[in-house]
Amino acid sequence: MSKGSFPRAPRRDGMSGRPGGRATPLIVALVAVVAAGLAGWLLWDASGGEDDTAGHPVAATSSAASPAAPAPRPSAVTSRPQAPSPSAGGATASPGPSAGEGAGVADGEAPRADGPLKGKVVLVDPGHNIRNSEHTAEINRSVDIGTGRKECDTTGTSTDAGYAEATFSLDVAHRLRTILRNQGAKVTFTHDGERPYGPCVTERAAIGNKAHADAAVSIHADGSAVGNRGFHVILPALVKGGAADTAPIVGPSKELGARIAGNFVRTTGSPPSNYIGGGTGLDTRGDLGGLNLSTVPKVFIECGNMRDPEDVGRLTDAAWREKAAQGIADGITDFLRGRATRVTEGRTSRPQPCHDGDTKKTPRAPRR
């Protein structure tokens, strides 16, 4: 029996309990009880019963009752794995650059126990972030770099085919971490692609400072004009202002950069830049917050020009990127072992970069 279709008493003439008869008190009472019961049921039904959450029937709100919507069916299409989103990646989403200042990303694996860099800490900074373009408001906000103000971060460049500098830098950083770990160094990243954007240049410097890194390198690729090719290493200028004071790190950073440049030439076969550094592969700048705010020896390396076809052929080749990582690692190793030797022997002389492992010459561009 459907709700609301209650049996009705047979029609009577007037108020009598039988056709043509007078109403008796018993029948009158019975009719009153039935009427009261019917009214009570209608009131219960209109209010939805005892508790909507308990699954009781609820009166329809439209003139025609609609059937309940079926539960959604699982999709039959299996989606391809995607990169973690800014809000969900792995266990929990990583904080933005405003949270966890200077935390960095520690290496999840222990370094080789008997390597030549045992006890050393290296900060590796993969340039930019592949998600920066999704957070332009955040990365465009200005931050204090000591000598002025600059953007929190930038999107970086890319090849004409769309291979992003951020993708390149993170790939080389991973390869570099593996090599350094096998040399016994503890490696800390400024980020590992897990952040929604950034970190800001100020935090990138703070992470290396907090880690008390023995050496720090920021990995990049340039976006210059076609025909401009080759790598160059950027050294910190002598600056002092606000939170910036590079006086303690200018000397050791120059040595670190020279070591990396010399080994990069030898390992990768790439020439020093033909448009920056006068053929030395070295450039000095005072407008980079990642260098200005560093308290540990630090350099940037622009591994090539992503807009020049010849350099693009190298940058997009995985085997060459492995060589690039090896060249950077060899330079860091030479720098750290050289400093350890001079401290042990009490020497203060500063050896020049090794171009071929035997001579002490600054790398120069090949003759064209």
Side-chain angles (χ1 to χ4, degrees):
M1 183 182 296
S2 62
K3 185 186 299 182
S5 58
F6 284 83
R8 297 177 181 272
R11 292 189 63 184
R12 308 286 181 180
D13 295 334
M15 293 298 292
S16 63
R18 63 187 178 190
R22 296 179 62 188
T24 65
L26 179 60
I27 293 175
V28 172
L30 179 60
V31 171
V33 169
V34 171
L38 178 60
W41 182 90
L42 290 173
L43 180 61
W44 180 90
D45 189 10
S47 66
E50 297 175 1
D51 184 358
D52 290 347
T53 62
H56 292 291
V58 181
T61 58
S62 63
S63 58
S66 301
R73 296 181 179 179
S75 172
V77 180
T78 302
S79 60
R80 296 188 303 173
Q82 298 181 356
S85 67
S87 60
T92 58
S94 297
S98 60
E101 183 81 14
V105 180
D107 191 355
E109 295 186 27
R112 176 181 161 190
D114 58 347
L117 298 184
K118 178 181 179 181
K120 300 297 183 181
V121 177
V122 178
L123 186 282
V124 176
D125 176 28
H128 310 286
N129 183 324
I130 197 61
R131 296 193 184 100
N132 275 356
S133 60
E134 303 169 7
H135 299 273
T136 54
E138 290 87 349
I139 68 169
N140 285 335
R141 65 184 178 88
S142 68
V143 295
D144 188 353
I145 66 168
T147 56
R149 301 190 70 85
K150 292 193 74 171
E151 301 93 338
C152 157
D153 203 5
T154 59
T155 58
T157 188
S158 67
T159 66
D160 290 338
Y163 181 54
E165 178 187 0
T167 302
F168 166 84
S169 65
L170 189 58
D171 178 89
V172 174
H174 285 157
R175 298 170 187 273
L176 176 59
R177 177 172 62 187
T178 298
I179 297 169
L180 292 173
R181 181 194 297 146
N182 289 336
Q183 292 288 317
K186 176 184 176 182
V187 181
T188 297
F189 272 26
T190 54
H191 75 97
D192 199 4
E194 84 292 356
R195 302 179 66 135
Y197 63 92
C200 292
V201 294
T202 50
E203 187 180 357
R204 291 174 189 263
I207 291 170
N209 298 343
K210 184 175 181 179
H212 302 290
D214 297 288
V217 60
S218 187
I219 301 170
H220 293 262
D222 207 1
S224 188
V226 174
N228 292 341
R229 63 179 61 98
F231 78 91
H232 64 278
V233 179
I234 303 174
L235 315 174
L238 180 61
V239 299
K240 185 175 178 60
D245 182 4
T246 61
I249 68 164
V250 165
S253 295
K254 183 176 182 180
E255 181 183 339
L256 171 63
R259 295 284 190 178
I260 289 177
N263 281 279
F264 200 85
V265 167
R266 184 182 69 249
T267 305
T268 66
S270 296
S273 171
N274 65 0
Y275 61 102
I276 291 178
T280 65
L282 302 175
D283 185 33
T284 301
R285 290 176 60 176
D287 64 329
L288 299 176
L291 296 180
N292 287 3
L293 300 175
S294 180
T295 60
V296 301
K298 185 175 182 179
V299 298
F300 281 39
I301 181 167
E302 300 280 3
C303 296
N305 178 15
M306 299 198 97
R307 298 303 176 87
D308 178 75
E310 187 174 323
D311 272 5
V312 168
R314 299 186 181 101
L315 299 171
T316 56
D317 178 44
W320 185 90
R321 294 196 299 272
E322 185 67 26
K323 293 178 181 178
Q326 187 66 60
I328 297 170
D330 288 349
I332 293 172
T333 300
D334 281 359
F335 168 74
L336 294 178
R337 296 184 70 180
R339 284 174 65 84
T341 299
R342 289 192 302 281
V343 169
T344 300
E345 297 180 358
R347 291 184 295 170
T348 58
S349 61
R350 184 175 297 122
Q352 296 299 308
C354 298
H355 178 71
D356 58 4
D358 296 321
T359 60
K360 297 181 179 179
K361 298 178 181 179
T362 301
R364 297 183 178 276
R367 297 188 63 179
R368 301 185 182 280

